[in-house]
Amino acid sequence: MASGLPTLNLLLKRTTIDDHEEILRACNNTLKQSRNDVETKHIRIVALLKLDRYDDVLQALDEGGEELRKRAHLEHAYVLYKSGNLEQARALARQLDDGRGPRHVEAQASYRLEDFAQAANLYSDLSSTKQSSLGNEENDLRINGSATDAQLEWKRQGHLVQKKKARREDLDAFETAYNAACACIARGEFGPGEILLKRAKDLCIASDELSEDEKTAELLPISVQQLYVLGVLGKTEQAETLAAQIARNDIPDLSTRQLAQINQLNASTNPINPYLSHRIVHSTISLPKSDQLFDFQKTLTAQNEYALELLSSKFNGVASSTSKILSDHSMPTTSPNVNGISIANAAAKAQNQLGKMGLKSILPLLEKRPRDVGLVLTIVHLYILTNNHGSAITVLETFLRRLDESAHATDQDVRFAPGLVAVMISLYSVQGRQSHVRIELAKAASYWRHKSKAPASLLRAAGLSLLDSSNPDDLITAGEIFDGLHKEDPGDKLGIAGYVAAHATTNMSKVKSAVEKLTSINRLTVGIDVDALETAGVPLVPAKSNFNMSKKRVADGILKPAKKRIRKSRLPKDHDPSKTADPERWLPLRDRSTYRPKGKKGKQKQAALTQGGVNEKGAEALNIENTTVAAKPASTVVSAPSAKQQKKKGKKK
């Protein structure tokens, strides 16, 4: 050991960062002479890490024993992270208290485990205690911190993100510009996201620190994300051009390569062949343990696969697989993955039918899965497509009432989930039921106000709705809501405005300092001619029920008289106006006074008709005279003997 170690130290002094293979060969030669040299084994592990030979590092740590693992504890935690053993890596890093290295490993492992809140806290602590002697650590912290913020937005935990807009320092490096673009895309701000992606591309191309191969490797993920944004914005021609420029097989990360394939299929303007697309998507190789998709990416890719299978008419397969997955999850849930699977199951049961036929197939499922959020929203959507908003409201109200009666805390979280509340109040708004909107928002705000992770957007909507109420209790509740919002985020303009509006009529001194933070009225009214507005007056908007888009607007000051409708004449062709019309023309022929039957039988039949009178036999039975008439006949009847008074015919002998 004495002869080998000085030689190794002398070699290390003369090497650079690119000599890892030579260092590894020197370590191997030294270990042939002294197998128990722990320091040389440690150096060999570092060289193997530099060469990305993680399996060899794990094997070397197992063979080196406990002494080597204690000496190379940071390397041990790092190789566990790089090999995909994230839980073990984080647990080991938490046990290490020496220096900042273990905190970085713990933050990276938490990031890959999608514990983004913990990762954000670790990066925040490292940034607040950064040391100037650590070189580029500040830049790395900024990049990793912005990536964590973007993932928090994708995870629907945007309330934990401190900065919502890209700062000037984020536009200085392509990594931070790319992360800022991802955060905008996660929030649905695709316009700013597209601009930031272009900025990231330009910075990457202009970078002097990267080689051409490194630039190509960095530009490909940016192009894949840009392809997705162009598709969402409807810029199909640009998306198709960009898709043709992406060399998918040159992307080093298999997960990014898989996403690029899906985005390229979606970017095509030609009609897709679902069978061919299904084959292409399922021909990709399985992802390694260390390069898995994030949960939101898995959810979207799974939905794409189900969509292709439904387009390929594989209804039984989709129904069977989704039913098996749904049986393993408890309901209700707000998980996008589970609810997306529920929607695919409903589509498979309905065989892609919409309208009444689709509802006829799906409604029986509601009896089997009455607590399924995805199924309920699917039924509501189908009712809306048929313009049956009343039934949609009934289905959703029944579902929410069922959750109200539940005693489980998780069911209450689903009941007042911002998405479900938004659907409910949107349906109420369509029918003009503003009181129901106010009641629903007040109930949701009352529930979330006492929670630690209250959705600010829902509370703002509830506060604004309650401010429009004339009920003093609602105004007090609105004041309490905006008090909490203003305390949580003093810089929120909407929160400040609501805070001022809630207390301006009761306690102006309380909000005097907050009023100064709002934009002044003089600045808001610059360029507005008040006299012209007063002269023009207030326009009256006609009610929606009386507004007919098919009618043209009448010119101002011109009122046309209503046209009288003239019906077509129904007079006969030989009508003579000088002659008086027969008053009995509406009666049947046999009921008219001028009617004369033809033939002997016709006259006898006519004489037998009583026309409302009473015959002799009937009169005798009623003890009245034969001349008395019970009712005035409709017409004059010629009297004739009854049929019984006529001479009987003799029998043949």
Side-chain angles (χ1 to χ4, degrees), residues 545-563:
S545 59
N546 298 329
F547 187 75
N548 189 355
M549 293 296 294
S550 63
K551 293 182 179 180
K552 295 183 178 180
R553 182 174 61 87
V554 180
D556 297 337
I558 301 176
L559 295 177
K560 295 183 179 181
K563 293 182 179 180

Side-chain angles (χ1 to χ4, degrees), residues 34-328:
S34 54
R35 295 183 177 179
N36 297 326
D37 188 350
V38 178
E39 185 175 358
T40 302
K41 291 181 179 180
H42 189 188
I43 296 173
R44 180 173 178 269
I45 286 175
V46 175
L48 289 172
L49 284 175
K50 295 291 186 180
L51 296 171
D52 297 339
R53 295 170 57 178
Y54 305 120
D55 293 336
D56 295 336
V57 174
L58 290 173
Q59 183 179 358
L61 287 170
D62 292 338
E63 295 173 352
E66 188 66 26
E67 183 180 0
L68 178 61
R69 285 193 291 270
K70 287 183 178 180
R71 182 182 181 91
H73 47 66
L74 179 59
E75 289 81 1
H76 189 192
Y78 181 74
V79 74
L80 287 173
Y81 158 71
K82 294 297 290 185
S83 59
N85 300 310
L86 302 176
E87 289 286 0
Q88 299 179 31
R90 184 165 68 169
L92 181 58
R94 285 176 175 176
Q95 298 174 4
L96 306 178
D97 298 329
D98 50 343
R100 301 166 64 84
R103 302 286 76 75
H104 278 279
V105 176
E106 182 184 358
Q108 287 291 90
S110 299
Y111 180 88
R112 288 303 307 177
L113 286 169
E114 303 198 29
D115 188 0
F116 302 119
Q118 177 65 16
N121 291 333
L122 289 170
Y123 285 129
S124 179
D125 294 340
L126 289 170
S127 299
S128 61
T129 58
K130 59 180 179 291
Q131 300 176 5
S132 58
S133 60
L134 295 178
N136 294 327
E137 185 189 13
E138 182 178 359
N139 186 43
D140 293 339
L141 287 173
R142 186 182 300 113
I143 294 172
N144 292 339
S146 60
T148 305
D149 290 343
Q151 291 290 352
L152 284 171
E153 296 286 359
W154 283 115
K155 198 76 172 180
R156 298 297 182 262
Q157 296 178 345
H159 59 281
L160 300 176
V161 179
Q162 298 297 326
K163 60 176 185 178
K164 292 290 186 179
K165 295 183 179 180
R167 299 176 182 176
R168 188 174 185 83
E169 65 228 19
D170 296 332
L171 305 179
D172 295 337
F174 75 91
E175 298 96 337
T176 52
Y178 174 75
N179 291 334
C182 291
C184 289
I185 296 169
R187 291 192 295 267
E189 302 171 359
F190 296 101
E194 182 186 12
I195 296 174
L196 289 170
L197 286 174
K198 291 180 180 179
R199 175 67 176 176
K201 260 190 171 182
D202 295 339
L203 290 173
C204 183
I205 294 173
S207 177
D208 298 332
E209 301 176 356
L210 301 176
S211 63
E212 292 300 324
D213 293 339
E214 291 174 339
K215 287 181 180 180
T216 302
E218 295 291 348
L219 285 172
L220 284 172
I222 300 176
S223 298
V224 173
Q225 191 70 282
Q226 192 175 18
L227 181 60
Y228 169 75
V229 173
L230 291 174
V232 173
L233 293 176
K235 300 180 179 181
T236 54
E237 295 182 358
Q238 299 181 30
E240 191 171 19
T241 303
L242 181 60
Q245 298 173 356
I246 296 177
R248 186 174 65 250
N249 294 329
D250 294 341
I251 301 176
D253 297 334
L254 294 179
S255 59
T256 307
R257 191 183 303 177
Q258 181 178 351
L259 297 177
Q261 186 180 59
I262 296 173
N263 289 344
Q264 284 178 323
L265 287 174
N266 291 333
S268 177
T269 56
N270 299 323
I272 66 169
N273 185 337
Y275 302 97
L276 181 60
S277 300
H278 183 272
R279 181 180 178 182
I280 293 174
V281 169
H282 287 81
S283 64
T284 56
I285 60 176
S286 58
L287 299 178
K289 189 177 180 180
S290 58
D291 189 17
Q292 292 289 320
L293 296 172
F294 290 100
D295 281 348
F296 77 92
Q297 293 172 329
K298 291 179 182 178
T299 299
L300 295 176
T301 52
Q303 292 176 0
N304 289 335
E305 292 177 3
Y306 284 132
L308 287 175
E309 290 178 356
L310 290 171
L311 290 174
S312 303
S313 301
K314 298 185 177 182
F315 303 121
N316 293 334
V318 174
S320 176
S321 60
T322 52
S323 297
K324 189 178 298 183
I325 296 174
L326 291 174
S327 63
D328 296 335

Side-chain angles (χ1 to χ4, degrees), residues 596-605:
R596 296 292 183 269
K598 296 180 180 180
K600 184 177 180 181
K601 291 184 179 180
K603 294 178 180 180
Q604 292 176 354
K605 187 177 180 181

Side-chain angles (χ1 to χ4, degrees), residues 419-492:
L420 283 177
V421 175
V423 174
M424 191 75 261
I425 63 176
S426 297
L427 291 173
Y428 283 148
S429 299
V430 169
Q431 293 194 338
R433 299 159 67 173
Q434 297 302 322
S435 60
H436 289 76
V437 171
R438 191 176 299 112
I439 292 172
E440 182 66 23
L441 286 173
K443 289 169 62 177
S446 176
Y447 176 80
W448 285 112
R449 278 170 53 200
H450 306 291
K451 300 288 183 178
S452 58
K453 299 179 180 179
S457 58
L458 190 148
L459 293 178
R460 291 192 196 99
L464 292 174
S465 178
L466 293 173
L467 283 176
D468 293 335
S469 175
S470 59
N471 189 347
D473 295 336
D474 291 342
L475 298 178
I476 294 174
T477 304
E480 294 174 354
I481 291 173
F482 282 112
D483 285 346
L485 291 173
H486 181 62
K487 184 178 180 181
E488 183 179 353
D489 187 5
D492 183 17

